[in-house]
Amino acid sequence: MNFSIKFLLIFFFAIVKSQNVDSLANIPTELKETEIRIYKDRGITNSGFVFRIYKEDKIWKANLIQWFLPKELSTDEFELIKPKITILKSEKSMEEIFENFEARNIKYLPKEEFFQYKKEKSEVIFDEDEKEFVVLKKISGILDGTGYSVKYQSGKQQNEFHYSNPESYLNKFPEIDELNDFVDILKYIRKEFNIEF
């Protein structure tokens, strides 16, 4: 493989790696004035999902978009795959569902780093080398599971956060309010729209 083809290949992979999920899902990067987006990580697969509920021109809409990584046709040729869009229906009005997300604190939930300390166990031990008491922190990590990123906007109020493996962590730490609220939101989506998400 000559230098120019190698360079183009490296350049393409850099673009794909940094490519925004919104562009792969074929949705605008800017949120509507009233919108919630929940991005489900792709894990080790070649696709991921975006749940959207929003108001556009006074009409409420909800959909689930499955996006795909570009397909490799040859060493230097790739094909973009069109996202699959499922229009979601519910017995409740979309406005009521949006309000139920707000009732579940979606606009106030903090970034995961702000409650990371709740996943730590601290213990005071005597350090023989230093001849003093020290605090030993044990941090729990869960590698399996699914991460979610959220973008929320209602008028001028905005919120954005990411939780890694919230359902797995909630099983281990049922006392963490933030995880309880977010997992409740996921369960609400699954129940109201009868989807796996």
Side-chain angles (χ1 to χ4, degrees):
M1 189 183 297
N2 67 31
F3 176 75
S4 61
I5 292 174
K6 283 183 183 177
F7 176 76
L8 286 173
L9 194 58
I10 291 168
F11 178 72
F12 176 78
F13 279 116
I15 289 171
V16 169
K17 189 174 180 181
S18 65
Q19 188 159 24
N20 193 315
V21 170
D22 291 338
S23 64
L24 293 173
N26 199 23
I27 56 177
T29 54
E30 295 292 318
L31 270 64
K32 304 288 182 194
E33 187 176 350
T34 306
E35 180 173 1
I36 295 170
R37 289 185 194 174
I38 302 177
Y39 301 80
K40 182 178 181 181
D41 290 349
R42 67 180 184 88
I44 59 169
T45 68
N46 71 337
S47 73
F49 292 89
V50 182
F51 167 83
R52 289 181 77 197
I53 183 167
Y54 59 99
K55 187 163 68 169
E56 182 175 49
D57 300 326
K58 299 182 180 178
I59 297 171
W60 284 93
K61 300 176 183 180
N63 52 49
L64 183 65
I65 303 163
Q66 183 178 13
W67 58 268
F68 301 90
L69 292 175
K71 180 181 177 184
E72 182 178 359
L73 300 176
S74 66
T75 56
D76 60 349
E77 190 178 1
F78 294 84
E79 175 185 33
L80 290 176
I81 301 171
K82 187 177 178 182
K84 179 183 168 189
I85 301 171
T86 305
I87 296 171
L88 301 176
K89 304 283 185 196
S90 174
E91 292 181 8
K92 293 180 181 170
S93 75
M94 296 300 162
E95 184 176 10
E96 181 181 355
I97 290 172
F98 191 90
E99 293 294 327
N100 269 285
F101 286 128
E102 290 186 328
R104 287 167 170 77
N105 299 321
I106 198 162
K107 60 183 169 181
Y108 301 118
L109 286 173
K111 290 178 171 45
E112 190 169 34
E113 62 200 52
F114 293 120
F115 63 88
Q116 188 68 28
Y117 70 95
K118 295 181 181 182
K119 299 177 192 173
E120 299 172 356
K121 302 282 184 199
S122 296
E123 170 182 2
V124 177
I125 62 166
F126 187 78
D127 186 327
E128 293 292 339
D129 294 335
E130 299 294 323
K131 302 293 184 210
E132 63 182 24
F133 288 98
V134 295
V135 176
L136 178 66
K137 290 189 177 190
K138 296 178 186 174
I139 301 169
S140 292
I142 296 175
L143 300 177
D144 62 336
T146 303
Y148 295 87
S149 297
V150 175
K151 292 182 182 178
Y152 163 89
Q153 182 159 328
S154 183
K156 294 185 179 189
Q157 187 158 13
Q158 297 178 333
N159 194 14
E160 192 170 333
F161 58 90
H162 176 84
Y163 290 171
S164 59
N165 309 320
E167 292 169 300
S168 299
Y169 275 115
L170 184 61
N171 287 334
K172 194 165 187 173
F173 302 101
E175 71 282 359
I176 298 180
D177 294 335
E178 295 86 352
L179 293 176
N180 274 293
D181 285 346
F182 185 67
V183 170
D184 190 35
I185 288 168
L186 295 177
K187 288 178 180 175
Y188 184 73
I189 290 171
R190 293 167 186 152
K191 178 180 166 239
E192 289 304 321
F193 296 108
N194 193 27
I195 58 172
E196 290 296 319
F197 182 68

